């Protein structure tokens, strides 16, 4: 036990590099999906191996019928600094989404469908979560062609072995 | 900043090995940097990407994003990663003698 309490030597920390990441995307809002995609793309740009695992509403990012229609969550999102009732007004989410998309285009951040394709082309693996797929009664046909497979949690851990797991 | 020698030419590089003065860059230097980074021979496709990166940087003051690189260099993203497995934007910038791209995309 005493060994666990000791801090690892600083030089050791500095010498370590990340070789592989497995990123879980679990939310279906615009602000829930982008961070995972940006981290996966950023990993590949650094030559780090990356896999993406989409679960629950995060599956919307890879659903053919939904990935172009992802919206900013304007209700229950204190980060927007708006009263919840304003966020709930009809059309408000679409408005906030339009504003954010415009801002991202300026920064050369692609829309979600293009971003998913970019990340897949960069060599990252895209996978859907078995439990969520069954729960929403989906199959491979519902997903964009870049999705490689539907994996159980156990299979995901096997795939993630030896790397870092990032949950978003 | 340190001085290192590529192809018999002394050049200034930063801590990560990127040339600090793009003006010191020559093609033989590029070939040596590529070799040092696991690319024994620069093909025409490599050169297309390296030149695009460099020209865009010299014209605008910043290196293009991977998105722009894939759309505008004439080399699609999949091939970019085949040519530069350790990161196309970073590696092409290093070989092209321009600073490391700072953007997140």
């Amino acid at each position: 036990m005493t060994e666990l309490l000791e801090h690892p030597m600083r030089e050791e920390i500095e010498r370590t590099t990340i070789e592989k990441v497995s990123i879980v995307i679990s939310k279906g809002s615009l602000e829930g999906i982008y961070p995972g995609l940006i981290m996966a793309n950023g990993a590949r740009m650094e030559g780090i191996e990356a896999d993406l695992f989409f679960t629950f509403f995060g599956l919307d990012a890879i659903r053919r019928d939904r990935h172009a229609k992802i919206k900013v969550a304007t209700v229950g999102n204190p980060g927007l600094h708006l009263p919840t009732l304003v966020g709930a007004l009809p059309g408000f989410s679409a408005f906030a989404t339009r504003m954010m998309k415009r801002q991202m285009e300026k920064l050369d951040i692609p829309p979600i469908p293009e971003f998913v394709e970019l990340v897949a082309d960069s060599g990252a693996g895209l996978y859907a979560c078995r439990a969520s797929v069954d729960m929403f009664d989906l199959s491979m046909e519902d997903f964009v062609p870049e999705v490689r497979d539907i994996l159980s949690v156990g299979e995901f851990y096997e795939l993630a072995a030896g790397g870092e797991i990032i949950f978003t | 900043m340190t001085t290192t020698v590529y192809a018999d030419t002394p050049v200034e590089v930063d801590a990560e090995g990127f040339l600090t003065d793009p003006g010191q860059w020559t093609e033989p230097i590029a070939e040596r940097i590529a070799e040092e980074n696991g690319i024994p021979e620069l093909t025409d496709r490599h050169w297309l990407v390296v030149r695009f990166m460099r020209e865009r940087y010299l014209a605008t003051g910043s290196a293009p994003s991977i998105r722009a690189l894939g759309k505008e260099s004439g080399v699609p993203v999949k091939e970019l990663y085949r040519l530069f497995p350790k990161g196309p934007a970073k590696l092409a910038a290093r070989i092209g003698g321009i600073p490391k791209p700072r953007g997140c995309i």
Side-chain angles (χ1 to χ4, degrees), chain A residues 22-88:
Chain A
S22 298
I23 300 165
V24 183
I25 295 183
S26 69
K27 294 180 185 72
S29 58
L30 194 85
E31 73 278 17
I33 291 169
Y34 266 108
L37 291 176
I38 291 172
M39 291 190 78
N41 177 61
R44 292 300 303 128
M45 281 174 61
E46 292 297 321
I48 298 168
E49 197 185 323
D51 286 310
L52 278 161
F53 188 68
F54 297 87
T55 185
F56 268 79
F57 294 104
L59 284 177
D60 279 9
I62 49 168
R63 282 180 65 167
R64 289 173 198 277
D65 58 336
R66 291 191 175 176
H67 71 158
K69 300 175 191 164
I70 305 294
K71 298 266 186 299
V72 177
T74 52
V75 170
N77 181 357
L80 280 182
H81 299 276
L82 282 171
T84 286
L85 281 175
V86 174

Side-chain angles (χ1 to χ4, degrees), chain B residues 8-26:
Chain B
D8 301 324
T9 318
V11 289
E12 299 289 315
V13 295
D14 67 11
E16 291 176 277
F18 288 78
L19 262 65
T20 51
D21 176 8
Q24 292 185 319
W25 182 88
T26 62

Side-chain angles (χ1 to χ4, degrees), chain A residues 44-47 105 108-111 114 118 121-122, chain B residues 65-68 71 77-78 81 86-87 90 104-105:
Chain A
R44 292 300 303 128
M45 281 174 61
E46 292 297 321
E105 190 58 50
D108 211 19
I109 302 176
E114 187 192 327
L118 171 68
D121 283 353
S122 76
Chain B
S65 66
I66 186 77
R67 182 192 193 196
K71 275 185 170 175
V77 173
K78 269 187 195 172
Y81 276 93
K86 283 283 165 195
K90 201 174 72 170
C104 281
I105 306 294

Side-chain angles (χ1 to χ4, degrees), chain A residues 90-108:
Chain A
F92 194 82
S93 183
F95 165 74
T97 302
R98 229 171 17 246
M99 297 293 289
M100 205 171 278
K101 277 185 174 169
R102 197 176 304 157
Q103 194 59 29
M104 287 194 293
E105 190 58 50
K106 256 192 248 169
L107 297 171
D108 211 19

